[in-house]
Structure formats: C-alpha cells, structure tokens
Amino acid sequence: MERSGNYLRRAAGLALSGRFRVEPNPLVGCLLVRGGRVVGQGYHAFWGGPHAEIAALEEAGGRARGATAYVTLEPCGHKGKTPPCAEALARAGVAEVVYAAKDPNPETAGLGPARLKQAGIRVRRKRAPALVRAILEAYLSHLDSKRPWVIAKWAMTLDGRIASRSGDSRWITADKTRRWVHRHFRGRVDAILVGAGTIRADDPALTNRSGRGHQPLRVVVCGRRPLPPRAQVLRDGKPTLLAVPEHLRVSQKLESVVCGRSGRVDLVRLLRKLHARGMRRILVEGGGDILGGLFDRRCVDQVLVFLAPSIVGGVTAVAPVGGRGQARMEEAYRLDPVGHRTLGPDQVVEGHVRYGTASPAGQPPVSRRSPGAGRS
C-alpha cells in the first residue's frame, strides 16, 4: 500500500493541470483512496469552477464513503464562489482527510479541518512535499496584494509587432486562437482592461462570445480625451467602467471612477479600486502604454502571449509593451514557470512573472499578515 506522502505527491501532480487557469486561487489536487485503490481524483481546473475535492467526489460517487481524501491544501470551510468542500466531504461519508498545507489566509485558515472534526471525520496534516510547496507559491505571494490577479495578454507577429505601421491589427492570430481566448479567459475573468488608444484604434467589443462563463466588466483607461461617442463599448449597453483622471468630463450615463490627476490615471490606484469592488482576476489586453505602465509598477502577475507565424516589418510598427522598461537584459522580467501550446498555426506562451525581491517605487514590501482573497 502506498504511503500518504506518495498520494499527496500524486495529488500535487494533478494540481499542476490547473496551472495558469486558477490564479489567484491556489493549485489544488485531491485523491480519494479506499482499500489501497484510488476511487476518485480531481483538481481545481479553472478560477470560479469546482474545487479539487468536489471533482474527486463526483468521480468517486458512492465509492467515496469510507475513503481517505488526500488533499494538497486544507479543505475550505467557507462559501466563496463554490460551497465549502469540508461539508461536501462530510456528506459523502469519507472516513479520513489528510492534507499537506495549511491555508495561510487568516479569514479561512482552520475552518475546514474544524468542520470535518465536528462531523466525526479523522483529520491529519502531513508535512507538505516540496512539490506541494512549489505549486502554492503564486497563491502565497499574491495573498496580501490588495489588487486583482493581473493577466497581460497580447498577440504579435514573429518580429514582435501587434500592429502594422499603418495601425492595422486585424487579425494577427487565427480564428481558433481567438475562440480559445474567449472560452478560457474572457468568460472567466471579472474584468477586461484596455487603454483608450486601443478603443480608438480597433473599436473592440471586449465581450465574451464563447457561450460559456459570464460577461466581464469592461474597464477603459482614459487620459486627457474622452472616448469617441460611437465606440462599441459605449453603445452596446453592456457594463463598462471608465477610469479617468480628475477634471475629465464624461457622459452622465457612463459609470466612471476617478483615480488620477494631470491627465493621467494612476494604474496602481485603479487596481486597488477594482479590488475593492470585488474584482479578483482581470485580463489586460493593451495597449502598450497600459501594459508597460503595469510592468513598470510590477503589477502583472501572469502573461499570455500569442505568436503568429507572420512578419510585418516596419520601424514604426507597434510593439506590445511600452513604459519605461529595463535598461539591461539581466534586469528583464522572466516567466517561471512557462507553458507552451499550439493552437492551429499559432503558438501560445504562458507564465507567471518573476520580478525579484525588490519592491517597485511607491510599493510596500509584501506582507502576509492581513487577509487576502482566499479560495473562492
């Protein structure tokens, strides 16, 4: 019979299947074992979706009764976007729960194990294998950030251009790639954020057209000029929020939030305001000034880049990331871990952004004392 540490390592391997889809929630895997046999397994597959324990219980069905659940993170005992996993395990009649890591969020820590014990279920904590500690790194680092998890997304040609010298950008990637983005990201984020320049250049709808998930809030960063009155985001009636500096006049029909002055929006302040509205996961689709500003302030957590097999050329063609940037290659922001996939003719690169230990200007060092979002 396998030891509990081996089952937990297997659960951690399952958890990795949700990488780049669940953040800022933690990667979690679960095995249900009865009589030395795995009768159910699952992982947290995407943000807002069923937790690992629920997926494992669904696979096991009635075989879960009397089983031992091996979970990489303590089962949640609170209701977020999904019901408490501890209650689901108790209802299924599991005999024992073994978990590897405590939930560091003080708002939720310990609630799940306490509820399980109250239900008469044996609960043990097993020292977390190295792999479990590694997969929780992104969750731990973001827990107290007080802003949404920021996914920077762009599509570019092989020579690193998001638009030609004339400004044309439709379409860089194939239909299959764009459908994939809608299905896996636009329907599973709280908001899509762009700059006013993107609206003026492309007039995008910024909607989820996959038929899955929900319609995210559209957030448009405006500087010194209001948006064109015929822009789609102003006419289609779907929720739109304008982020504006002081004194910029906007239509009374539009919701706006003031977070800047002198014709510029403070992006850090905007992210904090979005967090206060309950936004936990946002997709930033450009333009270069917005993406560059977020990278300069070290506010990008995850990158999603689509590389098309084309070359547009031109010294004035548009690059994806502006801002101040880094002076030396050794200072370049790195992605770790990195994921690769192929979608039709296009290549996709995903990863978490590594900034090092220093805090950006105006940003305090990360502290984990106050509560964050927790599992939802």
Side-chain angles (χ1 to χ4, degrees), residues 1-9 70 126:
M1 184 177 296
E2 290 189 57
R3 294 183 177 181
S4 57
N6 292 335
Y7 286 128
L8 288 172
R9 277 187 286 272
Y70 294 90
K126 174 77 175 177

Side-chain angles (χ1 to χ4, degrees), residues 1 14-15 24 36 50 56 66 71 76 82 102-103 113 159 189-191 221 232 235 240 257 295 302 315 324 335 344:
M1 184 177 296
L14 279 173
V71 194
C76 63
T82 59
K102 293 181 178 180
D103 193 326
D159 52 339
V189 295
D190 289 318
V221 178
Q232 288 191 72
R235 293 187 294 110
T240 302
V257 56
F295 273 108
Q302 181 177 338
V315 295
R324 183 178 66 251
L335 300 187

